[in-house]
Amino acid sequence: MTQSHTCHRIKATPAALSAWVLALVLPLPAMAEFQPMNDGALAGITGQAGVTIELETKLSIDRLSWTDEGSLNVNGLRLSGQNDTVLDNMKLTIDIAGDGEVLEHGFSEIARRANAGLLDPTNPDVADALAKYSVAGSFGKQFGSGDLVMHLGATSYGDPTSLDDYLQAVDFELAVDSVTSTGSEGSATLFSDILLQGYIGPTDLVIRNGGSSTRTLANGNQVSGSELQLDTHFEITNGSLNWDAADVILLFNFAAVGIEGLQIHNRRGDDTLGHFGMASATAKLSRGTSAASGNEGLSVHEVEFRADIDMPVFKIGGTSIGSVQFTDFAITDTTMMVYGH
C-alpha cells in the first residue's frame, strides 16, 4: 500500500501506534450492523451506555510512503503479537462522558483491585494508583460533558491478585524491514531490521469537548480547547535495529550502528512512582496558531516521555563497544507546531 503526504511526520511509540490503529480502524466493521432507530428505541438509551470492542488482529503494510520532492518509505511494517502471533486479549471501551462522569483511565483497574483488598496497598505504585484514581466513590478520571473517551486495556488480566499478570496481559511485536529514502541522487537505507517486542499497558485517547474555546501556551502559541489527549504506558523487553545512514535525528550523528537486546522501561532512578515499571508517554494535539510565525497548523503540546533505556549490545561498524544505559531519560516541556510549506 502506498500513501502520499505533504506534511511533516511525527514519530510515535509502538504503543501509541497501536492505539491510533485501534481508534481509527476497529469501529469500522461494527458499522455494518448499525440500523436506524425509531423514537421509542431511542427513549431507552441512557448516557451510561458505551461501546466495548474485544479485539484480536494482525496488521501488515507492504510499504508506507511520504512523497515530496523525494520519498521516504517504510517497508515491510508488521504489528502483531510476539513471535508473529495474533495480537489479542485487547479490549477497547468507548464512551461519551456526561458532565462530571468518572470513566476508566490509566491504572484505575489497579485502584479498583486495591480497594477490594486484592492488591497490597503498601506497594508505592499501588498506593499512588489508589490515591490518583479514586474519584467520588468510583475509580477512573472525571470528564466533562461530551468528551469522547477511549480506553485500551485487556479482555482478561489473569490472576486479579497478580501485578505481573496485569502488566503483561497484552504483548505486541512491531517489525519493520527497512526505512529508505529516494531522491534525485538515488536511494539510501536509513534503518533496517527493526524489531520491538514488549507489552502494552493502559492506553487512553480522549477528545476533549472544549467547544470553540482557546487557551495560550507558555510559549505564546494559541491552541483550541477541543483537543486529542494521548496517555500510554508500555514496555520494550527486546529490541534490535541497524542504523545504516547518518543525519536522520539529532540524538546521534553517525551511522553503521547496531543495537541488540534493547529494553525500554521505568524501573530505575527517581521518577518510577506510579508507572509500575513501564515507560510512559503523554501528548495533546489540537489546532493551533504559532506566536512566532502566525502560521496555523497542528499543535502538539505538553509532550512528555519518561523511561530508562538499556542497550546491552551497542555496535559500531559491526563491532560491539559495550553497553549503553540511560536512567531517568525524560522529554518534557515540548511543543511542536506542524504545518505545510
Side-chain angles (χ1 to χ4, degrees), residues 18-162:
S18 64
W20 278 103
V21 171
L22 291 170
L24 296 176
V25 177
L26 297 185
L28 296 180
M31 292 178 65
E33 301 299 325
F34 286 178
Q35 299 292 332
M37 301 181 70
N38 57 36
D39 291 342
L42 287 170
I45 297 177
T46 70
Q48 298 299 314
V51 176
T52 298
I53 301 170
E54 296 182 4
L55 169 74
E56 55 182 59
T57 187
K58 291 176 71 173
L59 170 70
S60 63
I61 301 175
D62 182 60
R63 176 175 293 178
L64 176 64
S65 297
W66 172 30
T67 301
D68 196 352
E69 295 300 320
S71 63
L72 180 69
N73 307 301
V74 179
N75 305 301
L77 184 149
R78 173 175 54 80
L79 179 63
S80 66
Q82 291 184 18
N83 302 314
D84 199 19
T85 57
V86 172
L87 180 63
D88 60 3
N89 196 32
M90 292 186 297
K91 182 173 71 174
L92 180 68
T93 58
I94 304 173
D95 290 274
I96 298 177
D99 189 23
E101 186 175 5
V102 178
L103 296 171
E104 194 86 2
H105 193 273
F107 290 105
S108 56
E109 173 64 20
I110 294 293
R112 184 177 293 106
R113 294 186 191 187
N115 183 71
L118 299 173
L119 296 171
D120 181 5
T122 64
N123 179 306
D125 283 334
V126 173
D128 180 81
L130 191 56
K132 184 181 297 181
Y133 298 105
S134 297
V135 183
S138 299
F139 301 97
K141 187 174 181 178
Q142 199 166 39
F143 294 95
S145 178
D147 290 348
L148 175 62
V149 182
M150 292 173 279
H151 176 78
L152 177 66
T155 304
S156 173
Y157 286 109
D159 182 355
T161 66
S162 172

Side-chain angles (χ1 to χ4, degrees), residues 114-267:
N115 183 71
L118 299 173
L119 296 171
D120 181 5
T122 64
N123 179 306
D125 283 334
V126 173
D128 180 81
L130 191 56
K132 184 181 297 181
Y133 298 105
S134 297
V135 183
S138 299
F139 301 97
K141 187 174 181 178
Q142 199 166 39
F143 294 95
S145 178
D147 290 348
L148 175 62
V149 182
M150 292 173 279
H151 176 78
L152 177 66
T155 304
S156 173
Y157 286 109
D159 182 355
T161 66
S162 172
L163 280 177
D164 285 343
D165 280 6
Y166 174 88
L167 298 171
Q168 298 175 10
V170 181
D171 63 88
F172 78 93
E173 179 173 292
L174 177 65
V176 177
D177 291 343
S178 65
V179 179
T180 60
S181 64
T182 303
S184 59
E185 300 299 319
S187 299
T189 299
L190 308 178
F191 298 95
S192 62
D193 299 325
I194 301 170
L195 177 67
L196 299 174
Q197 295 177 323
Y199 299 100
I200 303 172
T203 297
D204 297 276
L205 281 172
V206 178
I207 300 178
R208 287 285 191 177
N209 177 24
S212 59
S213 65
T214 61
R215 63 189 177 99
T216 302
L217 303 179
N219 65 355
N221 290 358
Q222 189 177 71
V223 299
S224 171
S226 296
E227 61 186 7
L228 185 149
Q229 300 175 352
L230 167 68
D231 294 273
T232 184
H233 279 81
F234 67 96
E235 181 180 1
I236 302 297
T237 57
N238 180 44
S240 60
L241 63 85
N242 295 318
W243 188 346
D244 302 295
D247 298 319
V248 179
I249 58 176
L250 300 179
L251 182 60
F252 299 108
N253 189 28
F254 49 82
V257 167
I259 298 172
E260 298 176 7
L262 173 68
Q263 296 184 8
I264 302 177
H265 54 86
N266 192 353
R267 292 190 291 267

